Amino acid sequence: MDDLAPGLTGGSEMTVTEADTAARWGSGLVPVLGTPALVGLMEGAAVKTLAGHLTTGQTSVGGRIDLRHLAPTPVGMHVQARAELLEVEGRRLVF
């Protein structure tokens, strides 16, 4: 973790499928990207940001998420998440 520094970036992307919808996740009744799937996409972006910067066997886990899910993303639409490492405080990382 010695080479972790603010400014590292990474991203994740996906095409929304029925398995990603609010209806599937129980977070709504409509066939659009569910917030749980969006959170997974965002966490994937954070993990990719750290790729090659952690020692073998290390990973990161989400501890707090501040999220505004502002627009529906229907099945078939492509969506991207980008993460940027903002702070490194010991083992605590802020994206």
Side-chain angles (χ1 to χ4, degrees):
M1 269 182 44
D2 293 335
D3 67 339
L4 287 179
L8 290 175
T9 61
S12 258
E13 56 187 81
M14 65 184 287
T15 299
V16 179
T17 69
E18 293 292 335
D20 306 310
T21 64
R24 163 28 184 103
W25 281 97
S27 64
L29 301 175
V30 291
V32 296
L33 180 65
T35 302
L38 177 59
V39 168
L41 182 69
M42 293 167 58
E43 287 189 337
V47 167
K48 287 183 179 179
T49 299
L50 300 176
H53 296 280
L54 299 178
T55 59
T56 302
Q58 286 186 322
T59 189
S60 73
V61 296
R64 177 180 173 201
I65 296 172
D66 185 5
L67 167 69
R68 288 178 284 161
H69 193 164
L70 301 175
T73 308
V75 171
M77 186 173 260
H78 187 77
V79 63
Q80 298 175 330
R82 181 180 170 274
E84 179 179 355
L85 184 58
L86 301 175
E87 294 177 33
V88 178
E89 188 177 299
R91 293 177 13 166
R92 181 179 168 266
L93 307 176
V94 177
F95 292 90

